[in-house]
Amino acid sequence: MTTPQTIGVIGAGTMGAGIAQVGALSGLSVVMLDVDEKRVAKGRDAIAGGLERLVKKEKLSAAERDAALGRLRGTTDYGALGEGDFIVEAATEDEALKLKILRQVDAAAKNDAVLATNTSSISITRLAAAMKRPARFVGLHFFNPVPLMSLVEVVRGRTTDDSTVEAAVALAKRLGKTPVVVKDSPGFVVNRLLCPMLNEAVLAYGEGIASAKDIDEAMKLGCNHPIGPLALADLIGLDVLLAVMEVFHREFKDPKYRPAPLLKQMVADGHLGRKSGRGFHTYS
Ligand code: NAD
């Protein structure tokens, strides 16, 4: 495949808008698709707001902002993805939904386009099995917030071919990111290591080893972490953390991934962290 000129992004939410923003900023034409005009407009507004902040910080000129916005096109029509050299699916984390979307993308995309998914937890190999060209399918796992986080995990499914991995690595670099190639395995690298650590912090808190504030303080000062594990769990969402631990527990069948009982209880009580105003800390 030649260097991409146009990328397609499916989903204009937190991650899709972030990916579209860095794509447009790096000089690519971007087609961003969502289910209705309202959501497309919301994604576009988020991108305009993100670019505006860069202008205020004098990291971007007004002309560069306008040029980036000019390269961005919102759509609700899958046919528009036919222009994409590289298409990244970043819709809601739901396997049945992703399979439906990917079939539509498959039908609309050019033959030599690379198709990618930003999934955090679904097997790339399993999704690839539903595609017309599984060798051209790869995981491209960005981190939130996309414009600020440098890492992209490039996930090689069992059927992904070398040229597809190379194209994904090249795109990540073009977007100003640092790619790390990983095998398709639950949680890839970052969530595989991070989530059990957060779960362990919940266990320690549940055992009364220290207060939430002190557990966070200890890991900030003792390990130089920018944020404590319980505050990070609150930020990610306790429901999201629980879902990841449940995937690990189910897929690896190893008791070391057992979700902390307190984590389950808090999710059942609706204490989900920042988004519900209460988790290990309280938020106004
Ligand atoms: P989000 O809820 O902010 O956005 C999802 C978007 O997908 C919504 O705008 C929704 O309208 C859209 N969508 C739903 N069905 C669609 C369809 N049929 N066609 C097109 N668009 C559709 O979610 P998000 O946080 O941006 O997550 C998106 C993906 O990125 C998920 O797979 C998630 O696991 C992954 N991810 C999320 C994070 C994170 O921290 N939020 C980090 C890495 C990866």
Side-chain angles (χ1 to χ4, degrees):
M1 194 189 75
T2 49
T3 320
Q5 300 300 321
T6 302
I7 60 168
V9 179
I10 299 155
T14 308
M15 298 304 287
I19 297 165
Q21 178 175 324
V22 295
L25 264 184
S26 65
L28 295 165
S29 295
V30 180
V31 179
M32 180 176 72
L33 179 144
D34 210 305
V35 284
D36 54 39
E37 296 296 347
K38 211 174 122 199
R39 287 183 224 216
V40 171
K42 199 173 156 211
R44 196 182 172 86
D45 288 349
I47 294 169
L51 296 177
E52 198 49 47
R53 280 193 291 281
L54 293 175
V55 172
K56 285 214 175 93
K57 288 186 194 157
E58 296 183 354
K59 289 185 175 164
L60 195 70
S61 71
E64 286 165 334
R65 170 201 61 202
D66 294 345
L69 284 174
R71 285 189 287 271
L72 175 71
R73 184 150 70 88
T75 186
T76 57
D77 171 20
Y78 275 85
L81 296 175
E83 294 166 33
D85 303 305
F86 204 115
I87 301 171
V88 186
E89 175 279 317
T92 315
E93 187 78 344
D94 171 321
E95 185 159 348
L97 174 73
K98 287 198 192 285
L99 284 170
K100 185 174 147 226
I101 291 173
L102 289 172
R103 285 196 191 97
Q104 283 171 279
V105 178
D106 227 353
K110 295 192 234 190
N111 263 336
D112 63 348
V114 172
L115 310 186
T117 175
N118 185 46
T119 181
S120 303
S121 67
I122 303 168
S123 158
I124 305 303
T125 308
R126 212 157 59 221
L127 291 174
M131 315 281 301
K132 271 196 297 194
R133 295 174 294 271
R136 304 295 283 158
F137 187 67
V138 66
L140 204 59
H141 188 226
F142 289 84
F143 289 78
N144 185 20
V146 179
L148 296 183
M149 301 294 283
S150 353
L151 181 67
V152 172
E153 290 176 319
V154 172
V155 188
R156 180 197 285 274
R158 274 178 63 80
T159 43
T160 310
D161 69 17
D162 289 345
S163 69
T164 302
V165 172
E166 280 158 25
V169 164
L171 178 69
K173 287 184 179 164
R174 169 81 194 261
L175 299 179
K177 305 297 177 197
T178 303
V180 166
V181 179
V182 305
K183 267 206 251 174
D184 185 19
S185 175
F188 314 131
V189 170
V190 172
N191 285 333
R192 169 84 175 266
L193 274 69
L194 176 67
C195 293
M197 193 269 282
L198 303 185
N199 190 54
E200 197 64 35
V202 181
L203 284 166
Y205 174 68
E207 289 169 22
I209 287 178
S211 68
K213 188 171 161 282
D214 285 348
I215 288 175
D216 281 346
E217 194 74 351
M219 290 304 282
K220 274 166 49 183
L221 301 180
C223 293
N224 243 355
H225 287 186
I227 180 171
L230 297 174
L232 182 55
D234 279 354
L235 186 67
I236 292 171
L238 304 191
D239 51 339
V240 175
L241 176 61
L242 175 61
V244 174
M245 290 310 296
E246 280 170 341
V247 168
F248 289 175
H249 198 214
R250 193 172 62 235
E251 300 271 331
F252 294 117
K253 298 193 173 42
D254 186 327
K256 76 177 177 186
Y257 297 111
R258 186 175 65 98
L262 178 60
L263 182 63
K264 286 179 157 175
Q265 241 167 36
M266 290 177 72
V267 171
D269 290 343
H271 298 151
L272 307 181
R274 264 176 198 267
K275 61 184 158 192
S276 73
R278 182 166 166 196
F280 296 100
H281 304 279
T282 43
Y283 304 89
S284 51

